[in-house]
Every structure is written in C-alpha cells, then in structure tokens.
C-alpha cells in the first residue's frame, strides 16, 4: 500500500505573538515542525511526505534543516491562499491514484503512534479515518437572543491526521471551494460520503497560544 502524508504548515502564528511563525518556534532541541515530521517518519518510515509551506517560508525552512541537520525526506510544495488550496496543491503533486493519504496540521507534534497506525489501517478499510475526542466541558448553543444548554455527548472535538483513500480525496478536492470546508472531512462529506471516526489522543493539541508552547516543552521533558 502506498502511504502518503501531507503536512500543512501555512500559519503565520499571529496569536502566538512576535514575527516568527509558530511552526518554526523551538521546543526541546528543534523547531516544532520537525517534531511533527519526525513523529510520523518514526512510526511509518515508508511514508512519502509532502510539506506545504508559504512561498516566503521555504528558504527559511531549508536553512533550518541545514542548521539542525534534519534530513527526513520530504517534498516541498508552495501553499495557496486557503487551506483548501494548499491541500489541493499537495494532492496535485502526487501522481499516484492508489493508496492512503493523511493530512496533518504542522503544529500538532504529538499524535500518538497508535492513532497514526489506526488512521491508516481504518482508512484502508473504510475510506476515511478522523481522530476525535469527547468533550469534557459543558457547552451552550448560542441563539439570536440568549443561549441554551447543549448535549455535549452528541459532539466531538476533531483532530488530525485526517486520513483517506487517495482517489477519494482527489475526487473531493476537485470540487469548487466552499467556505464550509473547514477541514478535509468536510470536503469529503460534501460528496455525500460517510466519515469514519476513530479515537484521538489528548496530547495531540494544536499549538496555537503561548501557553500551548509551554505545555509542549513540559510534555517533551517528561518523555
């Protein structure tokens, strides 16, 4: 089976503060994005990786790879104006039509090994695998006037890697862009396809705020 990974790292990290995009911030002994790629490569060494970066970040990434002697093989693709276009650019660079492809956020460095393995095996069987977590906090539904309590057991937090049959995902991304396409699952779902959910892991957070970076540092030290 052909295994592909598309890592989308197009964020500018504005919520993190400062000018350095969050995917390039150092945690432990190297930039955050390198931890993400290393995690997949360690679990699936036969995987073919495509890294999607903004055009003006590519040279800086190459400089970081030399500085940190980071030599995990991956193809670099220029991203688009939206996440949808960035993933589409990466899919268009894959000439094969058969296999399984995972799409992952570059700033989620801690997907559990079992989640990665389960995502690929489940997508091979069902066509899709989306890691999710149950909500632990109470939630409320916002109304035009006021709000009301919602049943949290009916909702899930969605993570990545979102993993699919390659031909199916290519078909999905041939659709015109829609603002409701917030992730890859929503793009595939627009074809009328059912999505398979799998268990995610709590550590697989998306590094977004400065407090997340501090948590990531602490988590790494405990490994």
């Amino acid at each position: 089976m052909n295994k592909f990974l598309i890592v989308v790292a197009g964020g500018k990290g504005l919520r993190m503060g400062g000018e350095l995009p969050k995917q390039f911030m150092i945690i432990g002994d190297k930039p955050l994005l390198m931890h993400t790629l290393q995690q997949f490569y360690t679990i699936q060494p036969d995987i073919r990786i495509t890294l999607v970066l903004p055009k003006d970040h590519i040279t800086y990434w190459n400089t970081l790879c030399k500085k940190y002697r980071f030599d995990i093989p991956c193809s670099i693709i220029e991203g688009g104006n939206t996440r949808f276009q960035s993933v589409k650019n990466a899919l268009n660079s894959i000439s094969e039509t058969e296999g399984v492809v995972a799409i992952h956020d570059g700033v989620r460095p801690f997907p559990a090994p079992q989640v990665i393995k389960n995502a690929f095996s489940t997508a091979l069987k069902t066509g899709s695998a989306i890691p999710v977590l149950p909500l632990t906090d109470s939630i409320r539904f916002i109304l035009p006037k006021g709000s009301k309590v919602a049943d949290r057991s009916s909702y899930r937090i969605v993570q990545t890697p979102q993993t699919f049959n390659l031909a199916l995902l290519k078909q999905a991304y041939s659709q015109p862009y829609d603002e409701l396409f917030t992730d890859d699952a929503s793009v595939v779902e627009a074809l009328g396809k059912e999505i398979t959910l799998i268990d995610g892991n709590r550590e697989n957070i998306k590094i977004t705020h400065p407090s997340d970076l501090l948590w990531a540092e602490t988590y790494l030290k405990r490994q």
Side-chain angles (χ1 to χ4, degrees):
M1 175 186 64
N2 294 321
K3 298 176 185 177
F4 303 91
L5 171 66
I6 295 173
V7 175
V8 184
K12 293 185 169 50
L14 298 179
R15 283 171 289 187
M16 191 67 74
E19 297 182 359
L20 185 66
K22 56 192 175 183
Q23 60 265 29
F24 300 139
M25 291 185 173
I26 306 301
I27 58 171
D29 59 349
K30 54 183 175 282
L32 190 159
L33 182 54
M34 292 182 184
H35 287 279
T36 303
L37 298 175
Q38 182 71 59
Q39 184 76 341
F40 280 88
Y41 189 71
T42 299
I43 303 305
Q44 302 278 4
D46 59 338
I47 202 167
R48 292 170 56 183
I49 302 173
T50 300
L51 174 60
V52 186
L53 292 168
K55 182 179 180 179
D56 57 355
H57 290 178
I58 294 175
T59 299
Y60 183 62
W61 169 252
N62 289 332
T63 300
L64 287 175
C65 287
K66 292 179 182 178
K67 178 179 179 180
Y68 290 91
R69 297 181 180 179
F70 187 77
D71 58 1
I72 288 178
C74 63
S75 301
I76 309 296
I77 295 295
E78 183 180 329
N81 293 327
T82 62
R83 188 183 188 279
F84 177 90
Q85 188 60 55
S86 291
V87 174
K88 186 171 184 176
N89 289 354
L91 284 171
N92 287 341
S93 74
I94 299 174
S95 59
E96 289 83 355
T97 57
E98 296 183 355
V100 175
V101 55
I103 318 297
H104 190 66
D105 297 324
V107 290
R108 289 186 187 267
F110 306 125
Q114 188 55 42
V115 172
I116 295 173
K117 294 175 183 177
N118 192 21
F120 277 94
S121 62
T122 300
L124 181 63
K125 295 175 183 176
T126 70
S128 64
I130 311 301
V132 299
L133 292 174
L135 280 75
T136 57
D137 295 330
S138 295
I139 60 174
R140 298 192 66 82
F141 183 76
I142 303 301
L143 301 167
K145 292 185 178 180
S147 64
K148 66 177 182 180
V149 68
D151 180 8
R152 68 185 177 193
S153 67
S154 298
Y155 296 88
R156 293 293 183 270
I157 298 169
V158 178
Q159 299 181 323
T160 65
Q162 298 190 6
T163 310
F164 304 89
N165 172 278
L166 177 60
L168 172 61
L169 194 62
K170 285 192 171 189
Q171 180 188 2
Y173 271 89
S174 68
Q175 300 175 102
Y177 172 71
D178 190 303
E179 290 185 356
L180 295 178
F181 292 161
T182 57
D183 64 357
D184 309 289
S186 59
V187 181
V188 172
E189 202 169 35
L191 289 177
K193 303 294 184 180
E194 186 174 345
I195 298 299
T196 303
L197 304 183
I198 63 173
D199 291 336
N201 64 291
R202 291 284 173 191
E203 299 81 12
N204 187 22
I205 68 169
K206 187 175 183 179
I207 306 298
T208 305
H209 302 284
S211 59
D212 299 331
L213 204 62
L214 292 173
W215 177 89
E217 288 276 7
T218 302
Y219 180 75
L220 274 177
K221 290 177 182 178
R222 291 178 178 175
Q223 300 309 298

